[in-house]
Amino acid sequence: MYLTKPHHNGIAQNGNNKDIAFNHTYTLDGVNSMNPEPKVAVLNHTDKSFVSNIEHGDNLTITATVNSGGFAKLRDVNTGAHYSTSTYIGQESKKVMVFHFDFEPTNHCSEKKNTCFYEPINIGPDITKQKLHISWDGWTDELAGIFRYNWKIHHLRADARGNLTEVSPMEPFHSKAMVKEEYKPFTYTPPGPGIYSIILDVADKANNSRFARQFVLYDPVSNITTDETFKLYVSRAERETHYNWQSNVQNQMLIGPSLSVS
């Protein structure tokens, strides 16, 4: 088993960009050709000397090597007397497991200094009566790579203090998950008017998540109407003219230019 760490100053001694921080071989004591394990061989070991901190970008490689083998006691076919013991080593088998450690979440190009042409979330106008066209782009993860996108849509409600909030954050009004290979923009039509919270969860293959959120006011039913009994009029106009004519442009404090008619 060995632990490698990223090398930040060029090429490491092992010829690549990794430094070996820990390297040790563990053996299964008591098992050999003269004392083979007839069943499944199990190695349980606690290494108290493992003092290296596992950090972002580290790789832990575990190689299990197993050799088959045993022994044969040779006897004289005539007398049955044992006269020799022969050991043998059979085939060797290896299994390599590599654990990659990634502790950093995904990032969006808008967080970097270079030019970014994408929004973390794009749902169109934030006030609309049309269905929502939901898309996203510009997300990357350099180490593990992006694994999935998960959408959650909440219908915001007023709490006891009158603040709009997500009533049940763990129970979204609508959710949609897709792996990176199935990425495809989609449309969603809310069931009724209101303010909706659109949350995008971007997770890498190490299950580190990054969230982005946008609000939208969806109102497909409201219309502006007028009421003949409550007309819109200029209150400073002359009442005798049914508020159609203005004879004075001064305010109640008589401030402003006077109006004279000749």
Side-chain angles (χ1 to χ4, degrees):
M1 180 179 74
Y2 61 91
L3 176 71
T4 58
K5 292 180 173 292
H7 190 77
H8 302 290
N9 298 316
I11 303 300
Q13 295 180 355
N14 57 1
N16 54 38
N17 61 344
K18 295 284 186 178
D19 281 322
I20 298 178
F22 181 85
N23 190 359
H24 194 80
T25 300
Y26 307 96
T27 59
L28 187 60
D29 296 334
V31 177
N32 50 53
S33 295
M34 292 300 298
N35 185 34
E37 173 57 59
K39 298 181 180 180
V40 178
V42 178
L43 173 62
N44 291 322
H45 184 81
T46 301
D47 194 338
K48 297 182 179 181
S49 65
F50 189 88
V51 294
S52 298
N53 290 328
I54 296 180
E55 302 171 308
H56 175 75
D58 290 357
N59 292 336
L60 180 64
T61 302
I62 300 177
T63 302
T65 304
V66 178
N67 294 96
S68 62
F71 64 92
K73 291 184 177 181
L74 305 181
R75 297 180 181 275
D76 190 305
V77 295
N78 296 318
T79 64
H82 170 260
Y83 67 89
S84 178
T85 299
S86 176
T87 61
Y88 66 93
I89 298 177
Q91 295 182 343
E92 181 180 272
S93 178
K94 287 187 178 182
K95 179 70 174 181
V96 179
M97 295 177 292
V98 181
F99 297 89
H100 304 277
F101 294 92
D102 181 355
F103 301 137
E104 296 182 1
T106 58
N107 57 76
H108 191 260
C109 61
S110 60
E111 301 173 289
K112 300 180 180 180
K113 295 182 179 180
N114 59 343
T115 304
C116 179
F117 301 97
Y118 306 105
E119 295 291 337
I121 303 177
N122 186 7
I123 60 175
D126 55 2
I127 301 177
T128 183
K129 60 181 179 180
Q130 306 296 331
K131 59 185 178 181
L132 308 181
H133 296 272
I134 302 176
S135 63
W136 60 99
D137 208 337
W139 292 94
T140 57
D141 189 275
E142 296 180 357
L143 189 58
I146 294 177
F147 172 60
R148 63 163 174 80
Y149 303 100
N150 188 32
W151 282 94
K152 295 181 180 180
I153 301 177
H154 296 268
H155 191 181
L156 301 186
R157 304 288 186 181
D159 60 14
R161 294 178 293 181
N163 298 322
L164 287 176
T165 184
E166 298 167 358
V167 179
S168 301
M170 302 304 296
E171 298 178 1
F173 189 79
H174 176 79
S175 63
K176 183 180 181 66
M178 62 184 72
V179 296
K180 180 183 178 182
E181 291 73 17
E182 297 176 352
Y183 163 73
K184 184 179 180 180
F186 64 96
T187 59
Y188 175 73
T189 303
I195 297 181
Y196 291 84
S197 170
I198 316 295
I199 300 176
L200 171 63
D201 170 14
V202 183
D204 62 15
K205 295 177 182 178
N207 203 30
N208 299 307
S209 292
R210 196 73 181 276
F211 298 89
R213 179 168 64 175
Q214 188 169 345
F215 299 99
V216 60
L217 173 58
Y218 176 72
D219 188 2
V221 297
S222 294
N223 294 305
I224 298 177
T225 59
T226 60
D227 189 339
E228 291 296 330
T229 60
F230 297 96
K231 293 183 178 181
L232 179 65
Y233 64 94
V234 179
S235 61
R236 295 293 298 167
E238 299 299 332
R239 181 178 180 181
E240 292 77 7
T241 64
H242 301 287
Y243 300 99
N244 291 324
W245 292 92
Q246 177 85 15
S247 62
N248 193 343
V249 294
Q250 294 179 327
N251 59 19
Q252 295 178 351
M253 302 298 295
L254 300 179
I255 298 176
S258 60
L259 180 66
S260 61
V261 179
S262 60

